[in-house]
């Protein structure tokens, strides 16, 4: 389905080159849900925008690598060809429903126009009929077609966002922290709706989040992103039960345990490195508990610690390639 | 919406009464006796007293003011010009169409130049189009009208003989003054359009439109421009309102018999009734333009409209696919 190969995306600014995405590779298979997890600034959204080829340029630029959709390279397409992909083959749900709908257009219009972008012959009336149907599908009364976004609550707006994304029945849905801006009770509703519709529409999904709990509930595979790199990738049970990368271990360690009484949470010490000035060796080395001298200089390589479970860490790579079991 | 407009028209009454009060009071406090001025220095006291009571000038301040307002409201009687002896209303109305035409044409010229340039400048930010537009705008805003007018007369009337140099009888006469007034307005409108557009094209909903596969034209015209229009409307309204007061400099340069020229002449001759009437008319024109701009806001932005009118839900006819989820 979607295959990202050695993708590099940089923002070229006056203050320096912000290396947002550095050699990201992973696949999303047909029908699969892949979670992309990482802290703020790890490059998750930039990766997603890269797939849509919507990285704001200037200052952003896809430096190298490739993005393949069903074997076809998206980076080689013209802008006009790419427009046919956006919204029809790959659709995106954005983080903040408050700002991602156009305030001066009715929600009906905003859904209906997607139909007409991708099927020029569809009449206005048919497009609006489809829009009404989509509103119904996401649980909004189709009578509210002619209302404007400000007349909807946050959760409702995100439902409209989902309706827009699914209108053309895309093969791949990219959801960029779709529930982060919503309140907790609504988060679960919206997430359940997405999972349900994903099955109904038979789409693959790339779910960007920083919530490991959501990933465990929803995703088949998970990619852990740190400083623009995928540091660990694998099936959810593998990554959760047989965690490899020290960063992932730290992430799980920082989740408070409801059964234990602790005075303080145990965060990962330190901060993510400045993407303008990344460490020469492993990006995680300054915060890593198990770092050795060579981590300072040696770029880590990807080791497969069990089938399909990749970890980008020098120690694991050595173990994997020298037959020591982990 | 209708109720809102009606309410706004009612609000204009206190504004205009306030203007009348201020002009009337200023005139009342101005030194000099109008009756003595009319009859001359050697008139006898009995004649002066008689005329004074005929004109109502012996009554107290408040009574005189009420009388003044009454005459305007009931009979559109603004008094008589000291210079020509004709009613002020006639004097002003013989000039006003000229000013109205000049204001309208020059504003249209300004809009036609400024909005497309502003949009292009924003879309191609920091490109040569943007740089040239910004330089032109800078020149336009810094060049004094009288100088620009003279240069235009020199080029288009004296050398090329394309347009007449003075007067305001045929549409050919409109062009040079409208261009002169229009360019200075255009500079301000262009800069506002550019900055507003720049802000809007970075909004999330513009990214959403692109993510749907919208062609660039639709992204700009449908999604961005309407949102960017509010500050542009404001500045166009202000410019138009100001030019309805007459453009004193340009009218002088092109010898146009407009309101600006009438006002300047009247001020020079201490022709108080004409000044009073003129100021009142200018205030009225400003109020009306303001009202129109406010109404246009509501048409551009449904969020503003919903503040004005009671919530009204329009039912959508098609009710297909009304599944409820979540």
């Amino acid at each position: 389905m979607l295959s990202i190969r050695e993708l590099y995306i940089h923002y070229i600014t006056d203050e320096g080159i912000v290396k947002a995405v550095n050699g990201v590779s992973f696949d999303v298979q047909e029908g699969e849900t892949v979670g992309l997890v990482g802290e703020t600034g790890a490059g998750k959204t930039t990766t997603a925008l890269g797939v849509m080829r919507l990285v704001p340029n200037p200052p952003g630029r896809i430096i190298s690598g490739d993005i393949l959709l069903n074997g076809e390279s998206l980076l080689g397409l013209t802008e006009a060809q790419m427009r046919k992909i956006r919204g029809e083959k790959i659709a995106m749900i954005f983080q903040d429903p408050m700002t991602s709908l156009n305030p001066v257009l009715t929600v009906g219009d905003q859904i209906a126009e997607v139909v007409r972008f991708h099927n020029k012959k569809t009449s206005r009336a048919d497009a609006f009929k489809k829009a009404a149907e989509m509103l119904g599908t996401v649980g909004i009364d189709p009578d509210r077609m002619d209302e404007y976004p400000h007349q909807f609550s946050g959760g409702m707006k995100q439902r409209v966002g989902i309706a827009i994304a699914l209108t053309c029945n895309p093969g791949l849905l990219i959801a960029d922290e779709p529930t982060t801006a919503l309140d907790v009770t609504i988060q679960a509703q919206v997430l359940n709706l997405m999972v349900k519709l994903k099955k109904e529409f038979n789409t693959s999904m790339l779910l960007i989040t920083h919530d490991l709990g959501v990933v465990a509930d929803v995703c088949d595979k998970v990619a852990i992103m740190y400083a623009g790199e995928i540091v660990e990738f694998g099936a959810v049970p593998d990554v959760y039960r047989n965690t490899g990368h020290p960063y992932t271990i730290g992430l799980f360690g920082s989740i408070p345990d409801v059964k234990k009484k602790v005075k303080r949470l145990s965060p990962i010490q330190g901060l993510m490195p400045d993407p303008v000035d990344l460490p020469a060796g492993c990006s995680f080395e300054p915060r890593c508990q198990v770092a050795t001298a060579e981590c300072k200089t040696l770029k880590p390589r990807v080791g497969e610690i069990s089938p399909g479970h990749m970890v980008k860490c020098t120690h694991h790579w050595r173990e994997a390639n020298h037959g020591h079991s982990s | 919406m209708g109720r809102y407009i009606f309410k706004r028209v009612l609000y204009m009454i206190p504004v205009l009464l306030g203007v009348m009060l201020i002009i009337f009071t200023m005139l009342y406090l101005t030194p000099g006796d109008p009756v003595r001025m009319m009859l001359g220095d050697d008139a006898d006291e009995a004649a002066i007293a008689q005329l004074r009571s005929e004109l109502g000038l012996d009554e107290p301040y408040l009574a005189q003011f009420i009388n003044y307002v009454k005459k305007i409201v009931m009979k559109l009687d603004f008094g008589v010009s000291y210079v020509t002896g004709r009613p002020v209303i006639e004097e002003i109305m013989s000039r006003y169409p000229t000013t109205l035409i000049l204001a309208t044409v020059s504003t249209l010229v300004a809009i036609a130049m400024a909005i497309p340039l502003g949009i292009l400048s924003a879309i191609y930010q920091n490109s040569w189009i943007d740089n040239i537009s910004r330089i032109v705008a800078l020149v336009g805003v810094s060049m004094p009208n009288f100088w620009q007018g003279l240069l235009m007369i020199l080029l288009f009337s004296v050398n090329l003989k394309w347009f007449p140099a003075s007067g305001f009888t045929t549409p050919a006469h409109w062009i040079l003054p409208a261009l002169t007034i229009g360019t200075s307005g255009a500079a301000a409108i262009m800069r506002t359009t550019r900055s507003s557009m720049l802000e809007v094209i970075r909004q999330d909903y513009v990214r959403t439109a692109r993510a749907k596969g919208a062609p660039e034209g639709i992204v700009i015209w449908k999604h961005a421009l309407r949102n960017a229009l509010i500050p542009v409307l404001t500045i166009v309204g202000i410019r138009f309102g100001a030019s309805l007061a007459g453009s004193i400099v340009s009218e002088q340069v092109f010898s146009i018999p407009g309101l600006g020229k009438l006002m300047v002449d009247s001020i020079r001759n201490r022709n108080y009734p004409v000044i009073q009437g003129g100021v009142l008319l200018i205030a009225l024109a400003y109020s009306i333009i303001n009202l129109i701009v406010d109404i246009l806001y509501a048409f551009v932005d449904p969020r503003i409209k919903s503040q004005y009118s009671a919530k009204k839900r329009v039912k959508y006819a098609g009710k297909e696919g009304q599944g409820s989820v979540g």
Side-chain angles (χ1 to χ4, degrees):
Chain A
M1 180 86 238
L2 177 75
S3 181
I4 300 177
R5 289 282 157 263
E6 283 298 310
L7 187 67
Y8 283 83
I9 302 175
H10 294 171
Y11 293 101
I12 296 149
T13 67
D14 293 339
E15 284 79 41
I17 296 170
V18 180
K19 294 173 180 138
V21 174
N22 302 302
V24 162
S25 302
F26 68 95
D27 292 334
V28 180
Q29 308 292 346
E30 198 85 49
E32 216 172 51
T33 300
V34 175
L36 186 57
V37 182
E39 51 195 293
T40 305
K44 306 177 304 271
T45 301
T46 303
T47 307
L49 290 175
V51 173
M52 299 292 280
R53 273 190 38 196
L54 284 175
V55 180
N57 177 19
R61 212 197 262 151
I62 298 178
I63 301 293
S64 64
D66 207 352
I67 300 162
L68 304 165
L69 183 72
N70 300 322
E72 183 188 22
S73 167
L74 296 182
L75 298 187
L77 298 181
T78 63
E79 190 52 32
Q81 288 169 320
M82 196 59 214
R83 277 201 289 273
K84 293 210 176 74
I85 304 273
R86 291 183 200 128
E88 187 170 13
K89 303 263 165 58
I90 309 175
M92 194 156 170
I93 299 170
F94 292 97
Q95 181 170 357
D96 189 353
M98 306 298 166
T99 57
S100 50
L101 295 178
N102 195 322
V104 303
L105 302 174
T106 62
V107 297
D109 190 9
Q110 296 189 54
I111 304 172
E113 67 170 5
V114 197
V115 181
R116 299 189 63 189
F117 290 152
H118 296 291
N119 200 341
K120 302 246 161 19
K121 283 182 211 130
T122 314
S123 70
R124 228 183 112 74
D126 284 346
F128 274 87
K129 219 177 261 175
K130 174 76 183 170
E133 186 192 306
M134 286 310 297
L135 274 183
T137 307
V138 296
I140 297 175
D141 183 354
D143 282 348
R144 301 190 65 183
M145 283 269 286
D146 297 319
E147 291 185 20
Y148 292 92
H150 70 272
Q151 290 162 292
F152 290 82
S153 67
M156 293 286 234
K157 278 186 219 175
Q158 196 58 298
R159 283 163 191 262
V160 173
I162 295 168
I164 290 172
L166 291 175
T167 299
C168 286
N169 205 350
L172 175 68
L173 186 63
I174 301 176
D176 183 5
E177 304 198 26
T179 58
T180 306
L182 304 177
D183 56 271
V184 187
T185 48
I186 307 295
Q187 283 184 0
Q189 278 184 22
V190 169
L191 206 63
N192 289 340
L193 173 70
M194 283 177 51
V195 170
K196 176 178 173 283
L197 292 177
K198 179 205 159 284
K199 282 195 192 111
E200 250 170 54
F201 283 74
N202 194 27
T203 41
S204 310
M205 181 154 82
L206 178 62
L207 178 69
I208 298 173
T209 175
H210 46 234
D211 188 337
L212 286 162
V214 167
V215 172
D217 279 346
V218 173
C219 299
D220 304 308
K221 287 183 185 159
V222 58
I224 310 286
M225 202 161 179
Y226 183 79
E229 294 172 71
I230 305 282
V231 293
E232 184 158 4
F233 180 83
V236 168
D238 287 347
V239 174
Y240 279 56
R241 290 199 198 111
N242 189 15
T243 312
H245 198 280
Y247 176 62
T248 322
I249 294 172
L251 278 185
F252 284 118
S254 62
I255 299 172
D257 188 337
V258 286
K259 291 179 202 130
K260 275 188 211 148
K261 199 172 174 189
V262 286
K263 280 227 168 81
R264 281 177 156 276
L265 299 175
S266 44
I268 304 174
Q269 294 303 321
L271 292 171
M272 206 160 61
D274 180 0
V276 176
D277 184 24
L278 291 174
C282 173
S283 297
F284 188 59
E285 178 273 329
R287 301 170 76 181
C288 186
Q289 304 272 345
V290 297
T292 53
E294 62 178 349
C295 296
K296 276 193 196 306
T297 50
L298 198 64
K299 280 269 172 223
R301 277 181 278 183
V302 178
E304 190 166 14
I305 63 171
S306 65
H309 185 181
M310 316 291 192
V311 177
K312 195 174 192 176
C313 172
T314 303
H315 303 298
H316 286 278
W317 177 80
R318 187 154 294 141
E319 277 177 30
N321 284 276
H322 295 280
H324 301 294
S325 62
S326 51
Chain B
M1 197 67 209
R3 256 184 51 208
Y4 169 74
I5 295 171
F6 181 69
K7 231 164 74 186
R8 280 297 308 268
V9 172
L10 285 186
Y11 283 157
M12 276 162 62
I13 295 172
V15 171
L16 293 176
L17 273 176
V19 173
M20 283 192 233
L21 183 68
I22 292 167
I23 333 171
F24 177 81
T25 309
M26 282 164 105
L27 190 73
Y28 185 84
L29 296 176
T30 311
D33 184 347
V35 178
R36 272 184 209 282
M37 221 146 82
M38 283 172 174
L39 293 179
D41 285 337
D42 47 353
D44 68 293
E45 289 303 313
I48 288 175
Q50 199 200 340
L51 185 62
R52 183 169 286 152
S53 82
E54 267 174 32
L55 292 172
L57 291 176
D58 52 351
E59 286 178 58
Y61 165 75
L62 204 62
Q64 281 191 43
F65 175 64
I66 291 171
N67 204 24
Y68 167 72
V69 174
K70 236 195 221 156
K71 265 162 76 189
I72 291 175
V73 175
M74 315 286 266
K75 296 184 267 183
L76 271 180
D77 180 2
F78 293 86
V80 172
S81 165
Y82 289 167
V83 177
T84 59
R86 286 166 65 203
V88 171
I89 184 89
E90 268 178 36
E91 196 93 331
I92 290 176
M93 280 308 151
S94 70
R95 303 293 191 99
Y96 208 61
T98 304
T99 294
L100 201 61
I101 290 172
L102 189 58
T104 310
V105 176
S106 63
T107 305
L108 289 178
V109 166
I111 292 172
M113 289 195 283
I115 293 185
L117 269 184
I119 294 171
L120 282 176
S121 245
I123 299 173
Y124 302 106
Q125 192 192 1
N126 298 328
S127 70
W128 62 270
I129 301 180
D130 185 26
N131 290 330
I132 289 176
S133 320
R134 278 153 78 189
I135 292 168
V136 170
L138 189 67
V139 172
V141 86
S142 1
M143 197 155 47
N145 268 353
F146 74 90
W147 186 56
Q148 192 193 349
L150 289 175
L151 285 183
M152 297 238 273
I153 291 176
L154 204 63
L155 178 63
F156 293 110
S157 308
V158 180
N159 290 334
L160 297 171
K161 298 197 185 348
W162 287 356
F163 304 112
S166 67
F168 207 74
T169 42
T170 65
H173 286 92
W174 304 353
I175 292 172
L176 292 186
L179 275 174
T180 306
I181 304 171
T183 39
S184 54
I189 299 170
M190 184 245 146
R191 293 188 70 91
T192 309
T193 309
R194 177 179 181 273
S195 64
S196 175
M197 202 64 187
L198 273 179
E199 204 183 300
V200 167
I201 54 182
R202 295 204 181 97
Q203 294 294 318
D204 288 352
Y205 52 80
V206 170
R207 188 180 61 188
T208 307
R210 293 212 169 94
K212 290 179 191 174
E216 204 52 29
I218 290 190
V219 173
I220 299 300
W221 287 104
K222 184 173 173 185
H223 289 268
L225 186 60
R226 253 185 90 180
N227 281 290
L229 227 47
I230 295 266
V232 179
L233 270 178
T234 311
I235 187 117
V236 170
I238 291 170
R239 304 288 317 194
F240 187 56
S243 54
L244 279 179
S247 167
I248 292 155
V249 173
S250 300
E251 286 177 10
Q252 204 72 43
V253 171
F254 293 98
S255 322
I256 298 166
L259 191 63
K261 199 157 181 295
L262 177 70
M263 293 298 280
V264 173
D265 292 344
S266 304
I267 292 166
R268 202 178 287 145
N269 300 333
R270 308 212 188 289
N271 194 348
Y272 296 122
V274 177
I275 302 172
Q276 267 184 333
V279 170
L280 196 57
L281 183 74
I282 290 166
L284 178 70
Y286 251 117
S287 306
I288 292 173
I289 296 297
N290 258 325
L291 173 64
I292 293 174
V293 168
D294 278 353
I295 293 169
L296 286 176
Y297 282 167
F299 277 100
V300 169
D301 193 333
R303 283 168 297 184
I304 297 176
K305 195 175 191 167
S306 69
Q307 289 166 12
Y308 296 160
S309 47
K311 198 177 169 193
K312 193 178 78 187
R313 287 219 350 217
V314 190
K315 293 282 171 195
Y316 183 66
K319 281 202 171 188
E320 298 91 319
Q322 200 174 342
S324 102
V325 181

